[in-house]
Amino acid sequence: MLAISAVSDEGRFWNGLKKAHGRLPAGASWKLAVASQDGTRAVNVLAHDSVEEVRAFFETHAGAHATTEYFEADAANAVGLAR
């Protein structure tokens, strides 16, 4: 799953996700978390079967500090993702 965020409060966004890291939905694993240098954009890649569970996780812990798009990755055409 991909979560691409336009971040309005960088500190609160990342602090929320760092605190929540141990509370990932069952079966989920975090593959990548990266921010733009200016902190206004973030890309998170998580392995999970449910976009809705990833959305609920992000919105609960950091949703007030960003506007995020969620979608399933095309693993067959990805470079560098484990299969």
Side-chain angles (χ1 to χ4, degrees):
M1 300 299 148
L2 297 173
I4 300 177
S5 305
V7 179
S8 57
D9 186 326
E10 180 183 14
R12 289 183 176 167
F13 176 82
W14 288 108
N15 283 337
L17 291 181
K18 287 175 186 175
K19 288 177 184 176
H21 183 262
R23 299 180 196 149
L24 284 168
S29 63
W30 219 313
K31 301 299 183 185
L32 175 74
V34 64
S36 61
Q37 273 193 319
D38 66 2
T40 63
R41 303 287 289 170
V43 175
N44 286 272
V45 179
L46 293 93
H48 197 315
D49 293 336
S50 171
V51 171
E52 290 309 314
E53 284 189 44
V54 170
R55 180 190 320 272
F57 171 77
F58 264 78
E59 294 301 320
T60 297
H61 299 289
H65 312 295
T67 301
T68 303
E69 295 178 72
Y70 305 91
F71 51 95
E72 212 171 316
D74 179 1
N77 289 312
V79 176
L81 282 182
R83 295 187 190 262

